[in-house]
Amino acid sequence: ENDLVIMLGDGVNQFINPKVKASGVVLRATPHALDMSSHKNKDEARVWYGRMVLPPAEALHPEYPEETFGDMRQRMIDASLSSSEDGEEIL
């Protein structure tokens, strides 16, 4: 009757799967398109809650230990707000 589903994002592919690959365990990130069928009984309800959890801003990136996630996020924000006149990639 009642289920709890925990959906994993793309971070599982970037950070968890490379570390557990040798054990034969591979976790699958939830696709961005999710189709849920409707209820036959109109008195039933489905509740969905989603939350994106980001690494702390001061956490160091495992592949780029000289850079924090906060630094990377700020560069992405700055790049998205800037425009390159010659179409050059900013990041």
Side-chain angles (χ1 to χ4, degrees):
E1 292 255 336
N2 298 316
D3 295 310
L4 173 64
V5 178
I6 297 174
M7 295 187 271
L8 304 170
D10 191 52
V12 76
N13 292 327
Q14 297 174 30
F15 302 110
I16 297 173
N17 281 339
K19 295 185 182 338
V20 299
K21 190 185 328 183
S23 69
V25 174
V26 177
L27 301 172
R28 182 174 178 254
T30 305
H32 281 88
L34 184 63
D35 183 25
M36 299 171 67
S37 59
S38 60
H39 292 288
K40 293 177 185 170
N41 182 347
K42 298 297 180 191
D43 294 331
E44 293 179 329
R46 178 176 286 128
V47 177
W48 183 89
Y49 171 79
R51 181 174 183 192
M52 178 192 255
V53 180
L54 299 172
E58 67 277 2
L60 297 175
H61 191 285
E63 292 185 32
Y64 306 100
E66 69 283 351
E67 191 164 22
T68 66
F69 280 95
D71 295 335
M72 294 178 79
R73 276 196 291 273
Q74 190 58 55
R75 283 193 314 118
M76 286 186 231
I77 291 167
D78 293 345
S80 70
L81 298 175
S82 303
S83 62
S84 174
E85 293 175 14
D86 59 1
E88 183 179 324
E89 188 174 320
I90 297 171
L91 294 175

